[in-house]
Each structure stands twice: as structure tokens, then as C-alpha cells.
Amino acid sequence: MLNEVSKKVRDIFKENYSSTPHLYYSPGRINFIGEHIDYNDGFVMPAAINKGIYYAIALNNTEEINFTSVDFNEKLTINTRDIKKMTGWKNYVLSVVNEFLLLKKEVKGFDCVFGGDIADGAGISSSAAVEGGLAFGINELFNFGLNRKELALLCQRAEHNFPGVMCGIMDQYANMFGKKDNVILLDCRSVEHEYFPLKLEGYEIVLINTKVHHNLASSEYNVRRKQCEQGLEILKKEKGINSFRDIKSSNELLPFKDKMGDKVYDRCKYVVEEILRTQQAAKLLQQNNLSEFGKLMFDTHEGLSKLYEVSCKELDFLVEKARENKDVIGSRMMGGGFGGCTINIIKKESIKDFLSDATVAYQKKFQIEPEVIEVQIGDGTNEISI
Ligand code: GLA
């Protein structure tokens, strides 16, 4: 069944082109725990959600690609031989096409209209949704034969290339491998996953969007990644380890603090603790021990805010509000940081009260109306019938 957004995408396609398109749905993601450790050999626990990007695509038997972004109300026509770096949304779609070309896959002309129901900058990875839907569609329409893992990796490379964000694999993987009502436990070292069903009995997941997206987000992301690499280099040399995963307690980092300097040391401390915490959290979630699991989410937030320094006052405020309410058993910032959403696990009967309390207080403090986003765990990218 098509919803409003997918109908709109399909209808705009029909107004502009005479062919019948294929329709694809590509989800955003949430992440329960394991933040900023996908590029540090950790485990992460994302899930695809029931909100994302819809694509209507059809081949046009020319050498021209016609993109229409419904959300930005912009168009782009480009020859397949002229694919190059541009700005904004164009970078994401063009980079995906470019990755196919780099694999010597001959992408020909097509018409493409896309739009969605996830906000840019909300920390639910609209970028991976934009990349995943297009990559999946191109792969199907041209019969390139890449599997889901290859597509996820292609999308990750696409994000590194034109947009220049050196992201890990979590978002693109969740986008391709999402499974309804299941959490993905992804080992980012082996790039293998297992699913486990999420049983929230009596609790619900609620996202609160701060509606801020500080500009630092992508530049600081790359800085964090560099700082982790620097720290790991020192540990490799001095301690003979290959990965943060080989460290069993953050105390093992202390002897290297001077060599690392305070900032790099703090980043590494967070990474080591978060890798251990996520493994612990995965066990707790599998045992349905939600209250202990939730405590670890608060600890993650503390680490992201104080040691990794990717939070902001708006996110900290919402997590603090959650901490004051005993029926919110876990809360933390989610995604890359510097704005976007908090993810909260809340007792069902207290959701309404908590949300009205937290959103009113937030608005009073920041003069911004936060957005409550209700999500369900859904399937990964797929074709849907028109
Ligand atoms: C962004 C990146 C991911 C991951 C998260 C932080 O969403 O795209 O690869 O690093 O930030 O966990």
C-alpha cells in the first residue's frame, strides 16, 4: 500500500515522463547503542525504520540522467560521461552513479524522481537512504548483479567520495539489511550480522528531534575519525595491538595518555568503553533486560558528550529531562551528533506525560519546537509495487 509520500513521488514522475517507473523504498535507521564505533572495529545495533526515501526510476534509452528531488524542489540533468562532484543532495546521487562507473558498470540514461519522509540532519541517516535507494534501483534496472552487502559497501564509498564524509558502514548496512521487528547486531570488523527480535513489552522507542543541526557535523566527524586513527597508531606501536577491540579495559590506555595528548586520549577512552558497553548491551537486550540496557544508553550519552564531544546543549538537555523521569529507562543522542535526535525507551503509559513535559521545557529553553518522531522497525531497501 502506497502512502502519501510514495504516491507523490510516483505522481510527479508520471507528470514528467511517459514511461512506467519502478518504485523503491529505502529506509532511514535508528541505532540502539554503539555510536561512533562502526569505523573503530566495534559492534553496533541499528535497525531500519518505517520512514525513508522513495524512488521512482525508469530507463530512458539516452545518455542523460534526469534527477528530480521532490524535497528540495530541484532538478538536475547530467550526461553519464559528465558525472562529477557537485553540492548538496546532488553529491549523494551523483556519487552513487560514480561508484558504479568506477566498478566499470555501464550506467546509461534514466529518469528518476525521489523524495521522502525523513528530515535531513535529524540523525536518522537520510543520506544512507538516498544512496541505498538509488544504488538498489540502478543495480536492478541494469542487472548489475551486486548483492546487498556489496551495495552497502558501494554506498559507503559513495558517501566518502563526493560528499567527503568518512562514515562507517552502519547506516548503509542497516539500510540494506533491515528486517521488520528485528535489531541488527553488526560486527563492523567482519562486516557480518545477526538479527534478534526486539521485544519491548510495555515500553516504546520514541525519538525526539532537537531540530538543530550544527554545521560542525560533517567536518568534526572526520576530525573524530582522524583522532581515533592517531590514537590507534600509538597503541599499535607501543602496545602491539591491531584494533581497539583488543583492549579489555580503558585503564590500559592510561600509560599512553601523555603521548596521545588529552583530546586523543579521551576519544580513545570513549571508543574502548563503548565497544565493551555495546557487547554487554547486546547480551542484555537479548535477555530482555531492558532496564539494565537503558542504563548503558545513558552511559553512552555521557561518553559521547564528555569524552567524544559530539553532543550539544540541546541534546544534553533532552537526555537530562529523560534522566529525571524514572519511566524513561534509557536515553541518549543518536547518530553522528551535533544535533538531530535523542532515542528514548519509555514506559508506554508515561509516554504522553514525559513528552509533553520534555517538549514544553525544551521549547521554553531554546525557543525551538522539538519534533516527536514515532518509528517502527521496518525492512531494508526494496522494490515496492506501484
Ligand atoms: C553517522 C555515520 C555512521 C556512524 C554514526 C555514528 O551516522 O554515517 O557511519 O559512524 O554517524 O555512530
Side-chain angles (χ1 to χ4, degrees), residues 29 31 33-40 44 123-125 127-128 131 156 159-160 165-172 221 225 270 274 304 308 310 332-337:
R29 63 101 189 90
N31 181 28
I33 200 160
E35 213 64 271
H36 281 277
I37 54 168
D38 56 351
Y39 54 88
N40 280 312
V44 293
I124 42 185
S125 207
S127 61
E131 293 150 4
Q156 184 195 22
E159 182 137 350
H160 289 183
V165 179
M166 300 308 292
C167 64
I169 187 65
M170 172 170 78
D171 303 353
Q172 291 79 11
Y221 187 93
R225 204 172 160 146
Y270 167 76
E274 181 73 351
L304 286 166
Y308 217 65
V310 291
R332 63 175 196 83
M333 58 147 276
M334 189 181 73

